Amino acid sequence: MAELENNAYFWQKVDTLFLSSGYTLKKKKGESHDSFKNLVYPTDYGRVNTNGENGLSIYCGSGDRNKVTALVVAADILARELDVKILAGCNSEEEEEILRFLNQTDFQKTILIRRGSAIPGWAFTDN
């Protein structure tokens, strides 16, 4: 069975997608969700401008917002989809706050994929 390789080449592609797309902030940290007033955003929130219909969600932390620090994958049974969310400039405390925010409902659960920097073995050559 193949193992997941959390490697530098994957994150290089994520960086290229993110940095070449731009994003628009929709909510500031501490603001409530439009439909669910009890949901308060733990960081600034926005949308990455992609070719997709809705784009990608982005949570911007207190660090360098030009650096993707992690991804969140959400399984949403109401929307019947898997959704990837970008975390930019987030420290570990902000990552935990975002996970708590996203996992408040029984209809959506998420996992966090922290940025890796390993170079996979197949990338090395003898030449």
Side-chain angles (χ1 to χ4, degrees):
M1 176 166 41
E3 288 188 35
L4 171 68
E5 290 191 19
N6 188 357
N7 69 65
Y9 294 121
F10 170 78
W11 291 102
Q12 181 184 52
K13 299 304 181 214
V14 171
D15 287 341
T16 300
L17 171 71
F18 172 61
L19 294 171
S20 66
S21 299
Y23 64 91
T24 305
L25 290 180
K26 304 283 186 185
K27 293 287 184 183
K28 292 293 216 174
K29 177 180 179 176
E31 290 184 354
S32 295
H33 188 279
D34 291 336
S35 302
F36 307 101
K37 300 299 182 189
N38 61 319
L39 298 179
V40 177
Y41 287 89
T43 64
D44 291 350
Y45 166 81
R47 303 295 291 177
V48 175
N49 309 320
T50 65
N51 290 338
E53 184 177 313
N54 295 321
L56 294 169
S57 295
I58 182 169
Y59 292 86
C60 297
S62 58
D64 182 356
R65 292 184 172 193
N66 290 316
K67 182 175 181 179
V68 175
T69 50
L71 298 175
V72 170
V73 178
D76 187 329
I77 61 172
L78 288 181
R80 299 179 58 99
E81 69 180 9
L82 291 176
D83 185 26
V84 177
K85 302 164 188 312
I86 293 176
L87 278 57
C90 293
N91 60 38
S92 59
E93 182 179 297
E94 290 165 331
E95 289 172 353
E96 292 298 321
E97 290 173 5
I98 292 165
L99 286 175
R100 275 195 296 279
F101 173 75
L102 293 172
N103 284 296
Q104 289 181 65
T105 173
D106 289 334
F107 303 111
Q108 174 179 277
K109 294 301 174 192
T110 65
I111 62 168
L112 180 77
I113 304 171
R114 285 196 173 93
R115 187 181 188 104
S117 60
I119 303 295
W122 52 260
F124 298 105
T125 64
D126 292 336
N127 297 336

